[in-house]
Amino acid sequence: MIKIADIEFADVPLLLAPMEGVTDPPFRHACKEQGADIVYSEFISSDGLIRDAVKSVRKLGFVEEERPFGVQIFGNSIEPMVEAARYAERYNPDIIDINFANYTGNTDNVNSDYYSSSKGVKADGAITITGGKISVT
């Protein structure tokens, strides 16, 4: 059995990854109908959420039938990521996935407070700071 927070899955769960321009509500619905155990939103910009950008906020929406439902936020600085995670909590997702890397995969030129785990720089600090400021695990 695999467990994420309080969510238990079969030994081999089927998880729909967050994909920009793909994991919109109709696609998530189709994946749930075909047996996906958990579905995710598209990538959501932390800066977009804290600025209340319609495009970013819209990605937080889901219906109960999609549960368990996760959102993935990404950004370039710790404090906006923490603020965006708090914002996302208001929509009551089952999981808030915090992407520590530039979602394009290019971490060499990211001007940020943390980098991808492949770089091994400051990710632990971001986890600690975020974990201490929001209640979603």
Side-chain angles (χ1 to χ4, degrees):
M1 172 109 16
I2 295 174
K3 189 172 181 180
I4 300 174
D6 294 332
I7 307 165
E8 293 183 0
F9 299 101
D11 288 335
V12 184
L14 180 59
L15 288 75
L16 174 65
M19 297 175 280
E20 181 63 33
V22 177
T23 53
D24 59 7
F27 186 74
R28 294 192 310 254
H29 179 77
C31 290
K32 281 300 252 190
E33 283 185 335
Q34 295 301 313
D37 293 302
I38 185 168
V39 296
Y40 273 84
S41 68
E42 297 177 68
F43 296 114
I44 305 173
S45 164
S46 61
D47 290 332
L49 283 182
I50 65 175
R51 291 187 176 100
D52 215 23
V54 172
K55 182 178 177 182
S56 295
V57 173
R58 186 179 310 130
K59 293 177 183 180
L60 289 171
F62 67 99
V63 295
E64 287 299 311
E65 292 78 21
E66 292 180 84
R67 287 195 186 275
F69 178 77
V71 298
Q72 184 181 87
I73 58 174
F74 71 92
N76 291 332
S77 298
I78 292 171
E79 286 306 315
M81 291 287 280
V82 171
E83 196 174 334
R86 285 187 183 140
Y87 191 110
E89 274 187 306
R90 291 186 264 167
Y91 287 76
N92 200 28
D94 298 291
I95 296 170
I96 297 177
D97 181 338
I98 298 175
N99 187 329
F100 291 105
N102 178 331
Y103 80 107
T104 65
N106 178 2
T107 58
D108 293 332
N109 297 314
V110 175
N111 178 16
S112 66
D113 294 333
Y114 49 86
Y115 301 90
S116 75
S117 58
S118 66
K119 297 288 184 186
V121 181
K122 292 190 179 180
D124 289 340
I127 293 167
T128 301
I129 290 168
T130 301
K133 293 187 177 181
I134 62 171
S135 64
V136 176
T137 56

Short mmCIF file of all heavy atoms in Angstrom, two decimals, residues 54-106:
data_model
loop_
_atom_site.label_atom_id
_atom_site.label_comp_id
_atom_site.label_asym_id
_atom_site.label_seq_id
_atom_site.Cartn_x
_atom_site.Cartn_y
_atom_site.Cartn_z
N VAL A 54 -6.28 35.68 -13.20
CA VAL A 54 -7.41 34.82 -13.53
C VAL A 54 -6.95 33.47 -14.07
O VAL A 54 -7.46 32.43 -13.66
CB VAL A 54 -8.34 35.53 -14.55
CG1 VAL A 54 -9.42 34.58 -15.05
CG2 VAL A 54 -8.95 36.77 -13.93
N LYS A 55 -5.98 33.46 -14.97
CA LYS A 55 -5.50 32.21 -15.57
C LYS A 55 -4.97 31.25 -14.50
O LYS A 55 -5.23 30.05 -14.53
CB LYS A 55 -4.43 32.49 -16.61
CG LYS A 55 -3.91 31.26 -17.31
CD LYS A 55 -2.88 31.61 -18.36
CE LYS A 55 -2.32 30.35 -19.00
NZ LYS A 55 -1.29 30.64 -19.98
N SER A 56 -4.22 31.77 -13.55
CA SER A 56 -3.65 30.92 -12.49
C SER A 56 -4.72 30.46 -11.51
O SER A 56 -4.77 29.28 -11.15
CB SER A 56 -2.55 31.68 -11.73
OG SER A 56 -1.47 31.95 -12.59
N VAL A 57 -5.57 31.36 -11.09
CA VAL A 57 -6.63 31.02 -10.12
C VAL A 57 -7.59 29.99 -10.70
O VAL A 57 -8.00 29.05 -10.02
CB VAL A 57 -7.38 32.29 -9.65
CG1 VAL A 57 -8.57 31.93 -8.78
CG2 VAL A 57 -6.42 33.22 -8.91
N ARG A 58 -7.92 30.12 -11.97
CA ARG A 58 -8.84 29.19 -12.63
C ARG A 58 -8.33 27.75 -12.55
O ARG A 58 -9.10 26.81 -12.44
CB ARG A 58 -9.05 29.61 -14.08
CG ARG A 58 -10.10 28.79 -14.79
CD ARG A 58 -10.34 29.21 -16.24
NE ARG A 58 -10.55 30.63 -16.38
CZ ARG A 58 -9.90 31.40 -17.26
NH1 ARG A 58 -9.03 30.88 -18.09
NH2 ARG A 58 -10.13 32.68 -17.33
N LYS A 59 -7.02 27.57 -12.58
CA LYS A 59 -6.44 26.23 -12.55
C LYS A 59 -6.64 25.53 -11.21
O LYS A 59 -6.46 24.32 -11.11
CB LYS A 59 -4.95 26.29 -12.89
CG LYS A 59 -4.67 26.71 -14.31
CD LYS A 59 -3.19 26.82 -14.55
CE LYS A 59 -2.89 27.30 -15.96
NZ LYS A 59 -1.45 27.42 -16.20
N LEU A 60 -7.00 26.26 -10.17
CA LEU A 60 -7.25 25.66 -8.85
C LEU A 60 -8.61 24.96 -8.78
O LEU A 60 -8.84 24.15 -7.89
CB LEU A 60 -7.20 26.73 -7.75
CG LEU A 60 -5.84 27.31 -7.43
CD1 LEU A 60 -5.99 28.50 -6.50
CD2 LEU A 60 -4.93 26.26 -6.81
N GLY A 61 -9.50 25.27 -9.69
CA GLY A 61 -10.86 24.73 -9.64
C GLY A 61 -10.94 23.26 -9.98
O GLY A 61 -10.22 22.76 -10.84
N PHE A 62 -11.78 22.55 -9.26
CA PHE A 62 -12.03 21.13 -9.53
C PHE A 62 -13.38 20.76 -8.94
O PHE A 62 -13.97 21.53 -8.19
CB PHE A 62 -10.91 20.25 -8.96
CG PHE A 62 -10.84 20.23 -7.45
CD1 PHE A 62 -11.40 19.18 -6.74
CD2 PHE A 62 -10.21 21.24 -6.76
CE1 PHE A 62 -11.34 19.16 -5.35
CE2 PHE A 62 -10.14 21.23 -5.38
CZ PHE A 62 -10.71 20.18 -4.67
N VAL A 63 -13.88 19.59 -9.29
CA VAL A 63 -15.14 19.09 -8.73
C VAL A 63 -14.85 17.89 -7.84
O VAL A 63 -13.81 17.24 -7.96
CB VAL A 63 -16.15 18.71 -9.86
CG1 VAL A 63 -16.54 19.93 -10.66
CG2 VAL A 63 -15.57 17.63 -10.76
N GLU A 64 -15.75 17.62 -6.92
CA GLU A 64 -15.55 16.56 -5.93
C GLU A 64 -15.24 15.20 -6.56
O GLU A 64 -14.48 14.42 -6.00
CB GLU A 64 -16.78 16.44 -5.02
CG GLU A 64 -16.90 17.58 -4.02
CD GLU A 64 -15.72 17.66 -3.06
OE1 GLU A 64 -15.34 16.62 -2.47
OE2 GLU A 64 -15.15 18.76 -2.90
N GLU A 65 -15.82 14.92 -7.72
CA GLU A 65 -15.59 13.63 -8.37
C GLU A 65 -14.13 13.43 -8.77
O GLU A 65 -13.71 12.31 -9.06
CB GLU A 65 -16.49 13.49 -9.61
CG GLU A 65 -17.96 13.36 -9.29
CD GLU A 65 -18.62 14.70 -8.94
OE1 GLU A 65 -18.09 15.77 -9.31
OE2 GLU A 65 -19.66 14.67 -8.27
N GLU A 66 -13.35 14.52 -8.81
CA GLU A 66 -11.94 14.42 -9.18
C GLU A 66 -11.05 14.00 -8.01
O GLU A 66 -9.88 13.68 -8.21
CB GLU A 66 -11.45 15.75 -9.74
CG GLU A 66 -12.07 16.11 -11.06
CD GLU A 66 -11.54 17.43 -11.57
OE1 GLU A 66 -10.46 17.43 -12.20
OE2 GLU A 66 -12.18 18.47 -11.33
N ARG A 67 -11.57 14.00 -6.80
CA ARG A 67 -10.74 13.65 -5.63
C ARG A 67 -10.28 12.22 -5.70
O ARG A 67 -10.99 11.37 -6.19
CB ARG A 67 -11.54 13.87 -4.35
CG ARG A 67 -11.72 15.34 -4.04
CD ARG A 67 -12.18 15.53 -2.59
NE ARG A 67 -12.50 16.89 -2.32
CZ ARG A 67 -11.60 17.82 -1.95
NH1 ARG A 67 -10.33 17.50 -1.84
NH2 ARG A 67 -11.98 19.05 -1.70
N PRO A 68 -9.09 11.95 -5.18
CA PRO A 68 -8.15 12.93 -4.64
C PRO A 68 -7.56 13.80 -5.76
O PRO A 68 -7.27 13.32 -6.85
CB PRO A 68 -7.07 12.09 -3.97
CG PRO A 68 -7.21 10.73 -4.52
CD PRO A 68 -8.59 10.59 -5.04
N PHE A 69 -7.41 15.08 -5.43
CA PHE A 69 -6.99 16.08 -6.40
C PHE A 69 -5.79 16.83 -5.85
O PHE A 69 -5.78 17.24 -4.69
CB PHE A 69 -8.14 17.06 -6.66
CG PHE A 69 -7.79 18.18 -7.61
CD1 PHE A 69 -7.73 17.94 -8.97
CD2 PHE A 69 -7.50 19.44 -7.12
CE1 PHE A 69 -7.38 18.97 -9.85
CE2 PHE A 69 -7.17 20.48 -7.99
CZ PHE A 69 -7.11 20.24 -9.35
N GLY A 70 -4.78 17.02 -6.69
CA GLY A 70 -3.61 17.78 -6.30
C GLY A 70 -3.39 18.97 -7.20
O GLY A 70 -3.77 18.97 -8.37
N VAL A 71 -2.79 19.99 -6.63
CA VAL A 71 -2.36 21.15 -7.42
C VAL A 71 -0.84 21.24 -7.31
O VAL A 71 -0.26 20.85 -6.30
CB VAL A 71 -3.00 22.48 -6.96
CG1 VAL A 71 -4.50 22.46 -7.11
CG2 VAL A 71 -2.63 22.83 -5.54
N GLN A 72 -0.21 21.68 -8.38
CA GLN A 72 1.23 21.88 -8.34
C GLN A 72 1.53 23.35 -8.61
O GLN A 72 1.11 23.90 -9.63
CB GLN A 72 1.97 21.03 -9.37
CG GLN A 72 3.48 21.21 -9.23
CD GLN A 72 4.26 20.41 -10.23
OE1 GLN A 72 4.50 20.89 -11.33
NE2 GLN A 72 4.65 19.22 -9.85
N ILE A 73 2.22 23.96 -7.65
CA ILE A 73 2.63 25.35 -7.83
C ILE A 73 4.13 25.39 -8.08
O ILE A 73 4.88 24.54 -7.61
CB ILE A 73 2.24 26.24 -6.62
CG1 ILE A 73 2.85 25.72 -5.33
CG2 ILE A 73 0.72 26.33 -6.51
CD1 ILE A 73 2.61 26.63 -4.14
N PHE A 74 4.56 26.37 -8.86
CA PHE A 74 5.98 26.56 -9.13
C PHE A 74 6.30 28.04 -9.03
O PHE A 74 5.42 28.89 -9.14
CB PHE A 74 6.37 26.03 -10.51
CG PHE A 74 5.85 26.86 -11.65
CD1 PHE A 74 6.61 27.89 -12.18
CD2 PHE A 74 4.60 26.61 -12.19
CE1 PHE A 74 6.13 28.67 -13.24
CE2 PHE A 74 4.11 27.38 -13.24
CZ PHE A 74 4.87 28.41 -13.76
N GLY A 75 7.55 28.34 -8.76
CA GLY A 75 7.96 29.73 -8.67
C GLY A 75 9.45 29.86 -8.52
O GLY A 75 10.19 28.88 -8.53
N ASN A 76 9.90 31.11 -8.34
CA ASN A 76 11.32 31.39 -8.27
C ASN A 76 11.79 31.92 -6.92
O ASN A 76 12.98 32.18 -6.78
CB ASN A 76 11.70 32.42 -9.35
CG ASN A 76 11.60 31.84 -10.73
OD1 ASN A 76 11.77 30.63 -10.90
ND2 ASN A 76 11.31 32.66 -11.71
N SER A 77 10.90 32.09 -5.96
CA SER A 77 11.29 32.60 -4.65
C SER A 77 10.47 31.93 -3.56
O SER A 77 9.29 31.61 -3.77
CB SER A 77 11.08 34.11 -4.56
OG SER A 77 11.88 34.77 -5.51
N ILE A 78 11.08 31.74 -2.42
CA ILE A 78 10.42 31.01 -1.34
C ILE A 78 9.17 31.70 -0.83
O ILE A 78 8.11 31.07 -0.73
CB ILE A 78 11.42 30.76 -0.19
CG1 ILE A 78 12.49 29.78 -0.67
CG2 ILE A 78 10.71 30.21 1.04
CD1 ILE A 78 13.65 29.62 0.28
N GLU A 79 9.24 32.96 -0.48
CA GLU A 79 8.08 33.62 0.12
C GLU A 79 6.84 33.63 -0.79
O GLU A 79 5.74 33.33 -0.34
CB GLU A 79 8.42 35.03 0.60
CG GLU A 79 9.26 35.03 1.87
CD GLU A 79 8.65 34.22 3.01
OE1 GLU A 79 7.44 34.34 3.28
OE2 GLU A 79 9.40 33.45 3.65
N PRO A 80 6.97 33.93 -2.09
CA PRO A 80 5.79 33.81 -2.95
C PRO A 80 5.26 32.38 -3.03
O PRO A 80 4.05 32.17 -3.13
CB PRO A 80 6.29 34.28 -4.33
CG PRO A 80 7.43 35.18 -4.02
CD PRO A 80 8.08 34.59 -2.80
N MET A 81 6.14 31.39 -2.94
CA MET A 81 5.68 30.00 -2.95
C MET A 81 4.86 29.70 -1.70
O MET A 81 3.82 29.04 -1.77
CB MET A 81 6.87 29.04 -3.04
CG MET A 81 7.58 29.07 -4.38
SD MET A 81 6.64 28.27 -5.69
CE MET A 81 7.03 26.57 -5.34
N VAL A 82 5.31 30.19 -0.55
CA VAL A 82 4.58 29.99 0.70
C VAL A 82 3.22 30.67 0.60
O VAL A 82 2.18 30.08 0.93
CB VAL A 82 5.38 30.52 1.90
CG1 VAL A 82 4.53 30.52 3.16
CG2 VAL A 82 6.64 29.71 2.10
N GLU A 83 3.20 31.91 0.13
CA GLU A 83 1.96 32.66 -0.01
C GLU A 83 1.01 31.97 -1.00
O GLU A 83 -0.20 31.87 -0.76
CB GLU A 83 2.27 34.08 -0.47
CG GLU A 83 1.13 35.04 -0.28
CD GLU A 83 1.53 36.48 -0.62
OE1 GLU A 83 2.71 36.83 -0.51
OE2 GLU A 83 0.61 37.24 -1.00
N ALA A 84 1.56 31.45 -2.09
CA ALA A 84 0.74 30.75 -3.09
C ALA A 84 0.18 29.45 -2.51
O ALA A 84 -0.96 29.09 -2.79
CB ALA A 84 1.56 30.46 -4.34
N ALA A 85 0.96 28.74 -1.71
CA ALA A 85 0.47 27.51 -1.08
C ALA A 85 -0.69 27.83 -0.15
O ALA A 85 -1.70 27.11 -0.11
CB ALA A 85 1.59 26.81 -0.33
N ARG A 86 -0.58 28.91 0.60
CA ARG A 86 -1.69 29.34 1.47
C ARG A 86 -2.93 29.67 0.63
O ARG A 86 -4.05 29.33 0.98
CB ARG A 86 -1.29 30.57 2.27
CG ARG A 86 -0.36 30.28 3.40
CD ARG A 86 -0.17 31.54 4.21
NE ARG A 86 0.78 31.31 5.27
CZ ARG A 86 1.69 32.19 5.64
NH1 ARG A 86 1.78 33.36 5.03
NH2 ARG A 86 2.51 31.92 6.63
N TYR A 87 -2.72 30.35 -0.48
CA TYR A 87 -3.82 30.69 -1.38
C TYR A 87 -4.49 29.42 -1.89
O TYR A 87 -5.72 29.29 -1.88
CB TYR A 87 -3.27 31.51 -2.55
CG TYR A 87 -4.30 32.16 -3.43
CD1 TYR A 87 -4.47 33.53 -3.42
CD2 TYR A 87 -5.11 31.41 -4.28
CE1 TYR A 87 -5.40 34.15 -4.23
CE2 TYR A 87 -6.05 32.02 -5.09
CZ TYR A 87 -6.19 33.38 -5.06
OH TYR A 87 -7.14 33.97 -5.86
N ALA A 88 -3.68 28.46 -2.32
CA ALA A 88 -4.21 27.19 -2.85
C ALA A 88 -4.99 26.42 -1.79
O ALA A 88 -5.97 25.74 -2.11
CB ALA A 88 -3.07 26.35 -3.40
N GLU A 89 -4.57 26.51 -0.54
CA GLU A 89 -5.27 25.81 0.56
C GLU A 89 -6.75 26.17 0.61
O GLU A 89 -7.58 25.34 0.97
CB GLU A 89 -4.65 26.18 1.91
CG GLU A 89 -3.49 25.34 2.30
CD GLU A 89 -3.06 25.66 3.72
OE1 GLU A 89 -2.81 26.84 4.01
OE2 GLU A 89 -2.98 24.72 4.51
N ARG A 90 -7.07 27.40 0.27
CA ARG A 90 -8.48 27.85 0.32
C ARG A 90 -9.39 27.03 -0.59
O ARG A 90 -10.59 26.97 -0.38
CB ARG A 90 -8.58 29.33 -0.05
CG ARG A 90 -7.96 30.24 1.00
CD ARG A 90 -8.22 31.68 0.65
NE ARG A 90 -7.05 32.19 -0.06
CZ ARG A 90 -7.02 33.32 -0.72
NH1 ARG A 90 -8.09 34.07 -0.82
NH2 ARG A 90 -5.91 33.72 -1.32
N TYR A 91 -8.81 26.40 -1.59
CA TYR A 91 -9.60 25.59 -2.53
C TYR A 91 -9.71 24.13 -2.09
O TYR A 91 -10.35 23.34 -2.74
CB TYR A 91 -8.99 25.70 -3.94
CG TYR A 91 -9.27 27.04 -4.56
CD1 TYR A 91 -8.56 28.17 -4.16
CD2 TYR A 91 -10.28 27.20 -5.50
CE1 TYR A 91 -8.83 29.41 -4.71
CE2 TYR A 91 -10.55 28.44 -6.04
CZ TYR A 91 -9.82 29.54 -5.65
OH TYR A 91 -10.10 30.78 -6.19
N ASN A 92 -9.05 23.80 -0.99
CA ASN A 92 -9.14 22.50 -0.35
C ASN A 92 -8.73 21.32 -1.23
O ASN A 92 -9.43 20.31 -1.29
CB ASN A 92 -10.56 22.30 0.20
CG ASN A 92 -10.61 21.22 1.25
OD1 ASN A 92 -9.62 20.99 1.95
ND2 ASN A 92 -11.73 20.55 1.35
N PRO A 93 -7.57 21.42 -1.90
CA PRO A 93 -7.09 20.25 -2.64
C PRO A 93 -6.60 19.20 -1.64
O PRO A 93 -6.34 19.51 -0.47
CB PRO A 93 -5.93 20.80 -3.46
CG PRO A 93 -5.39 21.91 -2.61
CD PRO A 93 -6.62 22.54 -1.97
N ASP A 94 -6.47 17.99 -2.09
CA ASP A 94 -5.96 16.94 -1.22
C ASP A 94 -4.44 17.02 -1.07
O ASP A 94 -3.89 16.64 -0.04
CB ASP A 94 -6.35 15.57 -1.79
CG ASP A 94 -7.86 15.43 -1.84
OD1 ASP A 94 -8.48 15.35 -0.77
OD2 ASP A 94 -8.42 15.43 -2.96
N ILE A 95 -3.79 17.52 -2.10
CA ILE A 95 -2.33 17.63 -2.11
C ILE A 95 -1.94 18.97 -2.73
O ILE A 95 -2.52 19.38 -3.73
CB ILE A 95 -1.69 16.49 -2.94
CG1 ILE A 95 -1.98 15.15 -2.29
CG2 ILE A 95 -0.19 16.71 -3.11
CD1 ILE A 95 -1.59 13.97 -3.17
N ILE A 96 -0.96 19.63 -2.13
CA ILE A 96 -0.31 20.77 -2.77
C ILE A 96 1.13 20.35 -3.02
O ILE A 96 1.89 20.11 -2.10
CB ILE A 96 -0.37 22.05 -1.90
CG1 ILE A 96 -1.81 22.48 -1.71
CG2 ILE A 96 0.46 23.16 -2.57
CD1 ILE A 96 -1.97 23.69 -0.80
N ASP A 97 1.46 20.23 -4.28
CA ASP A 97 2.78 19.79 -4.72
C ASP A 97 3.58 21.04 -5.07
O ASP A 97 3.17 21.83 -5.90
CB ASP A 97 2.59 18.90 -5.96
CG ASP A 97 3.88 18.35 -6.52
OD1 ASP A 97 4.95 18.93 -6.28
OD2 ASP A 97 3.80 17.34 -7.23
N ILE A 98 4.71 21.22 -4.41
CA ILE A 98 5.52 22.40 -4.63
C ILE A 98 6.71 22.03 -5.50
O ILE A 98 7.53 21.21 -5.13
CB ILE A 98 5.97 23.02 -3.29
CG1 ILE A 98 4.73 23.45 -2.50
CG2 ILE A 98 6.93 24.18 -3.52
CD1 ILE A 98 5.02 23.95 -1.12
N ASN A 99 6.76 22.63 -6.69
CA ASN A 99 7.80 22.34 -7.66
C ASN A 99 8.98 23.26 -7.39
O ASN A 99 8.89 24.47 -7.57
CB ASN A 99 7.25 22.55 -9.07
CG ASN A 99 8.20 22.13 -10.15
OD1 ASN A 99 9.40 22.20 -9.99
ND2 ASN A 99 7.64 21.72 -11.27
N PHE A 100 10.10 22.68 -6.98
CA PHE A 100 11.28 23.46 -6.64
C PHE A 100 12.14 23.83 -7.82
O PHE A 100 13.14 24.49 -7.67
CB PHE A 100 12.13 22.68 -5.63
CG PHE A 100 11.48 22.57 -4.31
CD1 PHE A 100 10.92 21.38 -3.91
CD2 PHE A 100 11.41 23.65 -3.45
CE1 PHE A 100 10.32 21.26 -2.68
CE2 PHE A 100 10.80 23.55 -2.23
CZ PHE A 100 10.25 22.35 -1.84
N ALA A 101 11.80 23.35 -8.99
CA ALA A 101 12.61 23.64 -10.18
C ALA A 101 11.81 24.47 -11.15
O ALA A 101 10.59 24.54 -11.09
CB ALA A 101 13.03 22.34 -10.85
N ASN A 102 12.51 25.07 -12.05
CA ASN A 102 11.87 25.77 -13.15
C ASN A 102 11.11 24.72 -13.95
O ASN A 102 11.68 23.73 -14.38
CB ASN A 102 12.99 26.41 -13.99
CG ASN A 102 12.48 27.14 -15.21
OD1 ASN A 102 11.45 26.78 -15.77
ND2 ASN A 102 13.22 28.13 -15.63
N TYR A 103 9.81 24.90 -14.17
CA TYR A 103 9.01 23.86 -14.80
C TYR A 103 9.40 23.56 -16.24
O TYR A 103 9.03 22.55 -16.78
CB TYR A 103 7.52 24.17 -14.70
CG TYR A 103 7.00 25.15 -15.71
CD1 TYR A 103 6.20 24.73 -16.76
CD2 TYR A 103 7.27 26.50 -15.62
CE1 TYR A 103 5.70 25.61 -17.69
CE2 TYR A 103 6.78 27.39 -16.54
CZ TYR A 103 5.98 26.94 -17.57
OH TYR A 103 5.49 27.81 -18.49
N THR A 104 10.21 24.41 -16.83
CA THR A 104 10.69 24.12 -18.18
C THR A 104 11.85 23.14 -18.14
O THR A 104 12.27 22.66 -19.18
CB THR A 104 11.16 25.41 -18.90
OG1 THR A 104 12.30 25.92 -18.19
CG2 THR A 104 10.06 26.44 -18.99
N GLY A 105 12.37 22.88 -16.95
CA GLY A 105 13.49 21.96 -16.81
C GLY A 105 14.84 22.64 -16.90
O GLY A 105 15.86 22.04 -16.65
N ASN A 106 14.87 23.91 -17.22
CA ASN A 106 16.14 24.63 -17.34
C ASN A 106 16.45 25.30 -16.00
O ASN A 106 15.92 26.36 -15.71
CB ASN A 106 16.05 25.67 -18.45
CG ASN A 106 17.33 26.47 -18.58
OD1 ASN A 106 18.30 26.25 -17.88
ND2 ASN A 106 17.31 27.43 -19.49
#
